[in-house]
């Protein structure tokens, strides 16, 4: 059974940083590209970032480019998202997901971790 | 404002069919056959229902079907069931802009 377990969310002040993790199990992590998708409270889905199988190619939404960094550790079957210079509009549930293609579609999803940016 | 335009809500009675539209541009929906549809129940993670315009992942009932014409994609649910109620999102690959989503459609089964 595919399992994706996000962690690392929490309350942070504007301008602060967080590091999200996504622990994968039940499939060959090294064979799939991965993505992060977020959902602000009561709002729709927004693609955030994707990373290739090798980790050599990364992709970002314009809204987070230069502030967020995606990475992966194949030895630990874990996906990461480093969030810097956080803003109030980054408040959302962050989901990690497996990718069937290069950046999408998103086949399996975790349950999400909530990031709240507020002073 | 979302990149792709969906109706805010649709409704139908059990057994009926409903169609949800998703309108984009030639830079996303119209330019690639990489339209996906996701179902989301309250408090739950989204679930992939359709990929590559009209392909159903394993386990998705064949009541769900997708299509595309020009810059508009559509999701049709036939034989509506109570468990189909929820939010539906379309998405499209958008080249250098990555992936864009629609604003979501709330489906109510009357």
């Amino acid at each position: 059974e595919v399992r994706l377990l996000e962690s690392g969310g929490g309350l942070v002040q504007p301008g602060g940083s967080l590091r999200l993790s996504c622990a994968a199990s039940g499939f060959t992590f090294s064979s799939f590209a991965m993505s992060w998708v977020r959902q602000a409270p009561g709002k729709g889905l927004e693609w955030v970032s994707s990373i290739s199988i090798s980790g050599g190619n990364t992709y970002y939404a314009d809204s987070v480019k230069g502030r967020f960094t995606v990475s992966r550790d194949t030895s630990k079957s874990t996906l990461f998202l480093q969030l810097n210079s956080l803003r109030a509009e980054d408040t959302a549930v962050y989901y990690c997901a497996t990718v069937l293609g290069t950046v999408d579609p998103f086949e399996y999803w975790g349950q999400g971790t909530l990031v709240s940016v507020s002073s | 404002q979302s990149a792709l335009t969906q109706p805010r809500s649709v409704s139908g009675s059990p057994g009926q069919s409903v169609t949800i539209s998703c309108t984009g541009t030639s830079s996303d929906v119209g330019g690639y056959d990489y339209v996906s549809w996701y179902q989301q129940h309250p408090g739950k993670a989204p679930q992939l229902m359709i990929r590559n315009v009209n392909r159903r992942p394993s386990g998705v009932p064949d009541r769900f079907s997708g299509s595309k014409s020009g810059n508009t994609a559509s999701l049709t649910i036939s034989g509506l069931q109570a468990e189909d109620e929820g939010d539906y999102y379309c998405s499209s690959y958008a080249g250098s802009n990555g992936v864009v989503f629609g604003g979501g459609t709330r489906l109510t089964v009357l």
Side-chain angles (χ1 to χ4, degrees):
Chain A
E1 178 190 6
V2 172
R3 292 196 68 184
L4 298 169
L5 183 61
E6 301 93 338
S7 61
L11 176 63
V12 61
Q13 293 186 338
S17 297
L18 278 177
R19 190 192 196 201
L20 306 184
S21 299
C22 170
S25 61
F27 67 103
T28 305
F29 182 74
S30 59
S31 296
F32 289 87
M34 299 291 294
S35 289
W36 290 95
V37 177
R38 69 183 180 183
Q39 186 170 34
K43 302 297 184 181
L45 302 172
E46 180 187 15
W47 171 74
V48 173
S49 179
S50 297
I51 186 167
S52 63
I53 292 173
S54 68
N57 293 297
T58 57
Y59 312 88
Y60 299 95
D62 287 344
S63 58
V64 307
K65 199 172 295 182
R67 300 188 299 123
F68 291 7
T69 303
V70 63
S71 61
R72 64 191 297 162
D73 184 336
T74 298
S75 68
K76 297 180 179 179
S77 295
T78 302
L79 175 72
F80 301 101
L81 186 66
Q82 179 68 40
L83 291 66
N84 296 332
S85 303
L86 282 164
R87 307 166 180 167
E89 54 265 36
D90 294 319
T91 294
V93 173
Y94 285 73
Y95 296 100
C96 67
T98 62
V99 173
L100 281 173
T102 302
V103 293
D104 84 315
F106 315 114
E107 184 175 23
Y108 295 104
W109 298 64
Q111 286 306 300
T113 186
L114 176 62
V115 172
S116 297
V117 184
S118 175
S119 54
Chain B
Q1 185 176 357
S2 301
L4 305 180
T5 300
Q6 299 180 234
R8 291 287 298 270
S9 63
V10 297
S11 63
S13 299
Q16 289 186 332
S17 294
V18 294
T19 296
I20 301 172
S21 62
C22 171
T23 301
T25 69
S26 58
S27 296
D28 36 66
V29 174
Y32 308 93
D33 285 336
Y34 293 134
V35 175
S36 302
W37 290 90
Y38 301 87
Q39 176 193 67
Q40 187 178 34
H41 291 130
K44 300 295 186 182
Q47 177 186 353
L48 179 65
M49 305 302 285
I50 295 288
R51 65 180 180 96
N52 299 95
V53 177
N54 56 17
R55 297 180 63 179
R56 275 179 291 105
S58 173
V60 174
D62 59 7
R63 302 184 294 104
F64 292 83
S65 62
S67 63
K68 189 184 84 167
S69 178
N71 296 335
T72 298
S74 299
L75 172 71
T76 298
I77 309 170
S78 58
L80 266 181
Q81 298 183 4
E83 57 261 37
D84 297 334
E85 189 164 284
D87 295 325
Y88 289 81
Y89 295 90
C90 63
S91 74
S92 175
Y93 178 67
S96 60
N97 290 323
V99 181
V100 292
F101 279 96
T105 299
R106 174 67 55 87
L107 169 63
T108 301
V109 180
L110 302 172

